Amino acid sequence: MTVLHLKGVSRTHGTGENLVHALVDADLTIEAGELVAIMGPSGSGKSTLLNLAGGLDAPTSGEVLVEGTVLASLNKKRLAALRRRSVGYVFQDYNLVPSLTAAENAALPLELDGLSAGKARKLALAALEEVGLDAKQADRFPDEISGGQAQRVAIARALIGERRLVLADEPTGALDSHTGEEVLKLLRRRCDAGAAGLLVTHDARHAGWADRVVFLRDGKIVDSSAPLAGADSLLEGAGS
Amino acid sequence: MSVKHSLLALLERGPAYGYQLRAAFESATGNTWPLNIGQVYTTLNRLERDELVEALPENDSGQRPYRITETGRRHLAGWFASPVQAADRPRDELTIKLALAVTTPGVDVTDVIQRQRGATLRLLQEYTRLKSAEEHAELAWRLVLESMIFRAEAEIRWLDHTEAVVARAELPAPFPFAVGEPDPAEATPELDRSRTN
Ligand SMILES: Nc1ncnc2c1ncn2[C@@H]1O[C@H](COP(=O)(O)OP(=O)(O)OP(=O)(O)O)[C@@H](O)[C@H]1O
Ligand SMILES: [Mg+2]
């Protein structure tokens, strides 16, 4: 089943002299159970693609479909509900609410969705345990835990509940290589269990966990899993 | 790769015969470097000639196990104690290919890099899959697998770096070969367009 479908999606910023083509005519589908990595140089449009996929930003042209629903067709309220229920995010800067404990942060999407506080906490503790944080750490505030631990709270929040689309932008930035690998395994397991995952990374080792790697350059997709062009095009004009 | 030292290292565990040595080598390296049995026996013969191993009497099932000698042990210790020299490694075809790519007219270097990156990433994906499938694998094999993962990762980082450097650099006009001083032994063959690998 297709969970995410980008159809000719473009995103520009600014006008005239300042026009930036952040993403150009991107086509991408991700099936349930698939983990796709996005790689590419800085400024190539990776975060742009991820934000569009999660409905945090709207395309200038083209369509984004999550589980068959065109995001642009939803009103604000329904878009917010879809983002809460179906999509999990881990951002480059992990975006925890400073006045909430780790467990409350992780439970936030569930509570916003109307789950009772008790039930939400139980699920949050389980999600935190999955990323290697114990009950004591769960009751600390973001400024009372390390950067790597905060990152893990953000990941727990992204994976909690029945997220069918998990979007992660450099989720292992602040983690040591061992914890980083654990997070990737977690993401992999989530996808093996039926979620669709989109992972932005600079790290080839992490892309190694993906089923497919999509390369972006200057806002354009160069899909590595597409068949490679014939060798002839490499030497255009040479020798003739 | 040194078959000689590998066999000595395996014999340090205890006496063994050819087939056992081959099986032990392959399980330690996860069949990455298949060893043929003929190679094992010729190497054992040479090791015996140099008195690094000695043959034991044939056992009931007709196999002739070998045992490491004191000299063999010293030799093995020397091997572990000395670093592998860069010159012992094979020349790196990819480095040479890219060095030539930047100086060959009409070659799209970025494209060459992208193809290589795609291929190496696929390899990395396969290694990663192997690794996650065999979490309780033998320590030696895990080590070999990690080494391949690190190499692939390093290669991709180097490719990323090269791509950035090439993008920033004005590609130099390749230095044309001098005309008029013919050296018949070194005629430049025409670039073969059908073979780019
Ligand atoms: N709000 C904005 N206004 C103008 N330009 C923008 C805006 N957001 C992004 N861009 C531009 O769009 C391009 C793509 O940005 P994006 O953040 O998607 O890159 P990225 O691939 O995620 O880079 P990085 O690896 O550095 O995170 C860049 O050139 C960026 O400067
Ligand atoms: Mg980014």
Side-chain angles (χ1 to χ4, degrees):
Chain A
M1 192 191 67
T2 302
V3 177
L4 178 69
H5 190 177
L6 304 191
K7 272 203 231 167
V9 171
S10 298
R11 177 71 166 104
T12 55
H13 293 288
T15 49
E17 288 264 295
N18 300 320
L19 185 69
V20 180
H21 294 277
L23 195 66
V24 183
D25 200 18
D27 287 305
L28 180 67
T29 42
I30 305 185
E31 304 293 319
E34 241 189 336
L35 177 60
V36 175
I38 305 182
M39 299 188 86
S42 186
S44 58
K46 304 182 295 295
S47 297
T48 302
L49 193 155
L50 212 70
N51 290 338
L52 291 167
L56 299 171
D57 186 13
T60 318
S61 62
E63 280 185 336
V64 179
L65 292 88
V66 174
E67 299 192 296
T69 306
V70 181
L71 294 190
S73 74
L74 298 174
N75 62 27
K76 260 193 178 163
K77 210 173 132 202
R78 297 186 56 195
L79 181 62
L82 177 129
R83 289 207 306 238
R84 263 194 327 265
R85 280 187 209 130
S86 311
V87 188
Y89 309 86
V90 193
F91 298 99
Q92 242 166 331
D93 42 10
Y94 20 92
N95 260 324
L96 297 181
V97 181
S99 59
L100 299 180
T101 65
E104 287 163 352
N105 262 291
L108 195 58
L110 299 178
E111 289 206 47
L112 287 173
D113 219 31
L115 206 68
S116 78
K119 270 191 193 149
R121 179 174 165 83
K122 221 171 126 194
L123 287 171
L125 290 180
L128 287 172
E129 200 187 323
E130 231 189 325
V131 295
L133 295 177
D134 60 30
K136 235 167 52 197
Q137 290 159 326
D139 288 326
R140 300 216 186 114
F141 291 93
D143 63 353
E144 298 171 343
I145 55 182
S146 73
Q149 288 165 341
Q151 186 101 329
R152 282 185 266 170
V153 175
I155 289 155
R157 183 184 59 189
L159 296 181
I160 203 164
E162 297 277 306
R163 308 314 173 79
R164 290 178 298 271
L165 177 60
V166 180
L167 306 170
D169 200 341
E170 296 278 358
T172 54
L175 304 177
D176 60 58
S177 67
H178 176 74
T179 322
E181 184 131 320
E182 291 302 312
V183 166
L184 259 301
K185 278 188 201 165
L186 208 67
L187 204 56
R188 179 72 257 179
R189 243 183 289 147
R190 235 350 130 85
C191 293
D192 289 339
L198 195 55
L199 162 77
V200 168
T201 181
H202 277 114
D203 197 333
R205 172 175 277 262
H206 292 153
W209 289 91
D211 299 298
R212 236 172 346 128
V213 184
V214 169
F215 291 96
L216 276 177
R217 201 186 295 140
D218 302 326
K220 296 188 191 90
I221 289 184
V222 195
D223 197 339
S224 74
S225 45
L228 294 170
D232 278 351
S233 65
L234 271 178
L235 283 171
E236 33 180 291
S240 54
Chain B
M1 185 208 54
S2 170
V3 177
K4 173 176 146 185
H5 294 110
S6 307
L7 295 186
L8 281 178
L10 291 170
L11 285 170
E12 183 69 337
R13 299 186 196 169
Y17 51 88
Y19 277 98
Q20 289 177 316
L21 290 170
R22 182 174 76 161
F25 180 83
E26 292 191 344
S27 95
T29 57
N31 301 316
T32 329
W33 294 292
L35 206 54
N36 77 51
I37 193 69
Q39 216 177 347
V40 174
Y41 281 115
T42 48
T43 309
L44 282 171
N45 286 336
R46 248 178 288 139
L47 287 170
E48 188 180 13
R49 181 198 65 200
D50 299 339
E51 296 179 346
L52 301 177
V53 304
E54 60 196 4
L56 297 176
E58 217 170 82
N59 65 17
D60 294 343
S61 21
Q63 288 125 347
R64 234 162 63 110
Y66 287 84
R67 177 166 64 198
I68 190 167
T69 63
E70 221 16 76
T71 323
R73 247 180 219 124
R74 276 201 304 276
H75 194 86
L76 181 64
W79 183 59
F80 278 122
S82 40
V84 176
Q85 298 300 317
D88 297 342
R89 299 185 187 147
R91 271 173 292 177
D92 183 348
E93 182 178 342
L94 177 59
T95 310
I96 296 165
K97 186 193 260 188
L98 283 181
L100 288 173
V102 295
T103 52
T104 306
V107 175
D108 182 345
V109 182
T110 316
D111 202 13
V112 175
I113 291 175
Q114 180 58 33
R115 278 159 198 259
Q116 185 64 45
R117 187 167 33 214
T120 307
L121 249 165
R122 261 192 292 264
L123 207 61
L124 191 56
Q125 283 169 272
E126 275 163 37
Y127 294 155
T128 309
R129 208 153 295 157
L130 272 177
K131 194 176 98 170
S132 51
E134 303 186 31
E135 267 195 71
H136 306 290
E138 223 182 298
L139 178 62
W141 166 227
R142 256 159 49 204
L143 211 128
V144 169
L145 199 51
E146 277 293 346
S147 153
M148 298 191 294
I149 289 175
F150 270 99
R151 263 168 225 240
E153 193 186 354
E155 185 173 299
I156 290 166
R157 287 181 56 188
W158 176 69
L159 287 168
D160 289 347
H161 177 76
T162 306
E163 184 175 30
V165 170
V166 168
R168 251 175 274 135
E170 281 280 316
L171 284 192
F175 187 69
F177 294 104
V179 226
E181 312 158 34
D183 183 347
E186 283 178 32
T188 13
E190 230 171 75
L191 192 50
D192 184 351
R193 297 187 57 183
S194 61
R195 290 176 56 227
T196 50
N197 289 316

